[in-house]
Amino acid sequence: MPTSAQIPNSPLQGNLFSALRGGFPSDLDGVAVETDTGLNYSWRDLERASAMLANLLVSLQLPAGARLAAQVDKSVEAMLLYLATLRAGLVFLPLNTAYQSAEMAYFIANAEPAVVVCTGKNFGWVSKIAFKAGVAHVFTLNDDRTGSLLQRATHCADQQAVVLRAADELAAILYTSGTTGRSKGAMLTHGNLLSNAQVLKTCWGWRSPQAGGDVLIHALPIFHVHGLFVALHGALLNGSKMIWLNRFEPRLVLQAMPRATVFMGVPTLYVRLLAEPELNAQAVRHMRLFVAGSAPLLLETFAQWQRQTGHTIVERYGMSETIMLTSNPYFASEGERRGGTVGRPLPGVRLRVVDEAGHPLPVDQIGSIEVAGPNVFKGYWRMPEKTAEEFSADGFFKTGDVGRIDATGYVTIVGRSKDLIISGGYNVYPAEIEAYINELPGVAESAVIGVAHADFGEVGLALVIAKPGAAPEPAHILASLKAKLANFKVPKQCLLVPELPRNAMGKVQKNLLRDQYGGL
Ligand code: MCA
Ligand code: AMP
């Protein structure tokens, strides 16, 4: 892996969009994005359409730092909205399309966006929440290139002077749920995002268009770090074409592979691709790089991918608060790609493992992972105390992940100190689900734990104690949760139990529950 000194020294000053735009190839008429519905967007299209949308946003005359919240289905136009938000110097707040009204009401009240963009089908309830919270502008954007946002933007000029932003100004806020209380908005700056994108460009050997070029299969959602930043920034900064899938569909990915070179996915995507009989060395012959992350990649999946395709997946590790932290080497000269590990810290990232007192631990000892570097976020939105709690006295961010570093610098994540379930690459915080369950009639208390799942890696299991004399129906409990929460957060199973094991402090011992029910 290159050292920080070898990372290209592009200026970290300025608007991230300008740096991404600087990566576009000189021939702007070439294809930048090809969709599965047969549409082609040239680099000039990306430049012009993002300028038009940015001009629309600039015309709203919003103050610096104003937020634009988007809960829209994946589409090229949704990606252009992100680029336009950067261009206009506003702060992008992507929201998972699975979020329902209570979740949306919280994000909108907490972030106080000036602009909300939602789908036409959700306009009724989303605009109600937004207007009630004082949002001045609500637009719609659908994945078939319709909606008021595009209608309004068609009247705007297709050239725009990118609004200047300093490296430490906010580019995006990503909400990440907390182990206690409500979600926290991780504030990422233009500098955070650009420095990380530049490091990954070098580490993963992105091939410039002059050197044959790369083609990325973009199959991830664009409301989280993996799809929005790691995949998208990589392609744009390198001037690489994207084969754009609005939904992950294994057959479409397989069809795209003969024309592509790079694929990024959460482990569930690899598990589902492995189930395709056509996935073999011939199918991936044109590919050069497979990246996995967001959740632990099972050794079994890593090894089966090697056997079935002849390719070795590059597993990397990241967080919403830090973007990417470590990666297995891409170049053989920098070491082997080791399954079960997340590789070495990226250039510029300082990563240490500490004991409970915060003292760094020697090689191979297990402890809490802490990190520092240009990629580490600015803090949680309007939560200075929470921010202070999550940083050590000497400025390292406490990831909540537990791991070790071996003598060769490879990091292995062995668990989490935070009570978190990662299901199909989405984070689910048991505390949030338990709070909903505990409010249901007939429920005394509950505990939600993660259990192994062949497809999603991990899924939630709800263990519920009934109130004396009550007999709440597990199926009703799950149905009630489905009506209120994003679908991926709903536990896949619910069991009534007589008691929950507790330690001397009265805290539920989830490790014991995982031992007892983990095999379900
Ligand atoms: C869908 N379902 C899920 C999940 N997704 N259940 C648990 N976990 C999930 N992840 C459920 C739905 O509730 C629904 O259940 C049923 O599965 C089918 O839903 P559908 O939408 O059709 O599912 P799908 O399209 O097959 O989606 C599965 C998926 C998707 C493609 C794996 O979850 C996905 O795109 N995951 C990627 C997430 C991601 O990008 N993570 C990166 C975060 P029912 O019918 O009962 O309602 S960034 C990050 O973590 C850090 C920074 C990092 O390191 O990258
Ligand atoms: P998020 O807050 O959604 O960004 O999720 C970040 C969390 O995902 C990290 O703190 C890790 O627990 C987990 N994670 C990301 N990549 C990996 C990986 N390669 N292996 C294990 N866990 C991972």
Side-chain angles (χ1 to χ4, degrees):
M1 194 156 296
T3 61
S4 353
Q6 292 169 285
I7 295 297
N9 198 17
S10 333
L12 289 185
Q13 288 300 322
N15 193 312
L16 166 67
F17 176 81
S18 303
L20 299 176
R21 172 67 183 81
F24 287 14
S26 46
D27 175 14
L28 288 181
D29 292 318
V31 177
V33 185
E34 174 193 317
T35 71
D36 52 342
T37 52
L39 292 175
N40 282 340
Y41 295 72
S42 67
W43 294 96
R44 197 182 305 284
D45 292 334
L46 300 195
E47 161 62 23
R48 291 181 53 219
S50 62
M52 291 164 88
L53 285 164
N55 279 324
L56 168 60
L57 298 176
V58 168
S59 74
L60 304 178
Q61 299 191 309
L62 302 170
R67 278 84 51 213
L68 179 148
Q71 191 197 33
V72 289
D73 291 317
K74 183 179 177 185
S75 67
V76 177
E77 287 67 30
M79 178 262 280
L80 290 167
L81 172 62
Y82 164 58
L83 297 182
T85 308
L86 294 176
R87 283 187 84 140
L90 303 179
V91 181
F92 193 65
L93 181 80
L95 294 165
N96 196 317
T97 45
Y99 293 143
Q100 302 211 39
S101 58
E103 293 156 313
M104 288 294 287
Y106 171 77
F107 295 127
I108 290 176
N110 188 259
E112 294 188 299
V115 184
V116 167
V117 184
C118 64
T119 59
K121 69 177 186 300
N122 290 345
F123 180 78
W125 64 270
V126 174
S127 63
K128 205 166 146 194
I129 293 171
F131 291 135
K132 202 170 154 202
V135 175
H137 310 277
V138 181
F139 295 102
T140 57
L141 175 63
N142 303 313
D143 61 2
D144 60 357
R145 293 179 291 146
T146 61
S148 60
L149 184 82
L150 298 181
Q151 270 166 15
R152 286 278 301 273
T154 49
H155 303 293
C156 297
D158 64 359
Q159 291 189 359
Q160 188 250 359
V162 176
V163 174
L164 288 179
R165 283 287 171 258
D168 68 348
E169 285 188 275
L170 294 195
I173 298 180
L174 267 76
Y175 273 84
T176 122
S177 292
T179 40
T180 53
R182 305 305 297 263
S183 283
K184 302 163 291 187
M187 300 189 287
L188 293 163
T189 65
H190 287 264
N192 291 148
L193 294 167
L194 179 54
S195 66
N196 211 241
Q198 286 174 329
V199 163
L200 293 176
K201 178 173 153 131
T202 308
C203 289
W204 291 343
W206 280 90
R207 290 187 187 150
S208 70
Q210 297 81 351
D214 268 314
V215 176
L216 170 78
I217 302 175
H218 196 302
L220 285 163
I222 54 168
F223 30 70
H224 294 295
V225 163
H226 203 159
L228 184 64
F229 301 147
V230 186
L232 179 65
H233 290 173
L236 294 177
L237 194 62
N238 194 55
S240 294
K241 176 175 146 180
M242 286 183 274
I243 299 179
W244 187 268
L245 308 182
N246 283 354
R247 270 178 67 86
F248 169 71
E249 179 57 61
R251 296 197 156 267
L252 293 179
V253 173
L254 276 166
Q255 276 168 25
M257 278 182 187
R259 293 172 292 121
T261 58
V262 180
F263 175 78
M264 298 187 190
V266 301
T268 300
L269 271 50
Y270 286 94
V271 169
R272 291 188 183 182
L273 281 166
L274 280 168
E276 293 294 318
E278 293 85 10
L279 182 83
N280 54 31
Q282 176 66 11
V284 302
R285 68 194 179 284
H286 198 249
M287 298 290 293
R288 74 164 184 89
L289 172 64
F290 289 97
V291 177
S294 308
L297 179 74
L298 294 182
L299 251 182
E300 193 187 313
T301 312
F302 175 85
Q304 198 189 334
W305 192 269
Q306 252 174 347
R307 281 196 305 273
Q308 211 163 311
T309 70
H311 267 270
T312 307
I313 295 173
V314 171
E315 185 176 2
R316 91 307 178 276
Y317 159 49
M319 289 186 75
S320 297
E321 289 92 334
T322 64
I323 332 167
M324 293 301 101
L325 289 165
T326 72
S327 176
N328 269 280
Y330 168 70
F331 295 105
S333 57
E334 287 160 9
E336 57 170 344
R337 303 174 195 173
R338 284 189 212 151
T341 84
V342 292
R344 298 198 195 96
L346 292 167
V349 173
R350 286 175 292 150
L351 185 148
R352 67 188 186 190
V353 168
V354 300
D355 64 15
E356 279 177 13
H359 300 129
L361 287 166
V363 161
D364 282 334
Q365 298 239 6
I366 292 175
S368 303
I369 298 177
E370 295 187 344
V371 294
N375 53 311
V376 175
F377 75 136
K378 207 172 173 173
Y380 293 112
W381 171 254
R382 291 184 180 159
M383 288 188 185
E385 300 84 13
K386 195 76 207 157
T387 303
E389 263 172 43
E390 302 296 331
F391 280 87
S392 69
D394 59 347
F396 277 67
F397 173 63
K398 302 171 186 172
T399 63
D401 292 310
V402 175
R404 60 185 153 79
I405 310 176
D406 73 9
T408 57
Y410 280 63
V411 178
T412 304
I413 300 173
V414 300
R416 302 170 203 130
S417 57
K418 52 194 173 191
D419 190 10
L420 162 70
I421 299 167
I422 305 185
S423 187
Y426 287 141
N427 288 8
V428 180
Y429 283 84
E432 185 187 2
I433 320 302
E434 290 158 4
Y436 274 97
I437 300 178
N438 295 347
E439 281 181 8
L440 295 174
V443 172
E445 60 174 326
S446 63
V448 173
I449 58 166
V451 295
H453 188 270
D455 184 31
F456 293 125
E458 223 180 350
V459 292
L461 165 70
L463 301 163
V464 172
I465 301 187
K467 277 188 178 149
E473 267 291 318
H476 287 164
I477 292 176
L478 294 181
S480 308
L481 293 178
K482 240 181 191 173
K484 288 184 186 148
L485 288 169
N487 56 10
F488 63 87
K489 293 184 190 169
V490 178
K492 300 288 181 216
Q493 208 181 339
C494 175
L495 296 177
L496 289 185
V497 295
E499 59 178 0
L500 295 170
R502 292 186 180 277
N503 64 15
M505 311 288 286
K507 206 169 169 248
V508 174
Q509 290 173 295
K510 292 204 169 172
N511 53 333
L512 297 185
L513 290 174
R514 278 190 286 268
D515 290 345
Q516 191 176 349
Y517 296 100
L520 273 184

